[in-house]
Amino acid sequence: MKNSYWITIAAAALVVGLLLGYGIWGPNAARLPEVEKELTAAQAKIAETQKKTGDLESNLGKVANEKLNLEKENAELKEALEKAAKKKGR
């Protein structure tokens, strides 16, 4: 009976100590400033890469539209040239 009493006291003291420590330092105590700096730098690089990717996709869309317009214009010019050649051949 004496042993279980001391075991209960020790377990309660451990729980109280853990709760008190967490209350004082909180979850931010586990983070190191160096790791925090590296995380911030990595997040900035990711954001920059995402922005550049978006810009490239936008430019790719513009280039594709220009290419389609040029191909359409080229086809129209060829058609007009063939019509002109047929008119001269008559």
Side-chain angles (χ1 to χ4, degrees), residues 34-54:
E34 295 169 9
V35 173
E36 198 69 34
K37 286 179 187 176
E38 289 179 18
L39 176 64
T40 303
Q43 288 172 337
K45 287 180 182 179
I46 289 171
E48 182 181 338
T49 303
Q50 288 175 339
K51 182 184 179 300
K52 286 181 179 180
T53 302

Side-chain angles (χ1 to χ4, degrees), residues 19-39:
L19 292 175
L20 185 64
Y22 184 79
I24 292 172
W25 291 288
N28 292 332
R31 290 195 159 181
L32 299 174
E34 295 169 9
V35 173
E36 198 69 34
K37 286 179 187 176
E38 289 179 18
L39 176 64

Side-chain angles (χ1 to χ4, degrees), residues 2-3 5-6 8 17 20 24-25 27 35 37 49 55 67 72 74 77 82 86:
K2 265 187 168 180
N3 285 339
Y5 174 76
W6 289 110
T8 305
L20 185 64
I24 292 172
W25 291 288
V35 173
K37 286 179 187 176
T49 303
D55 291 345
K67 181 182 180 230
K72 182 179 176 183
N74 189 22
L77 288 173
E82 288 174 0
K86 284 183 182 178

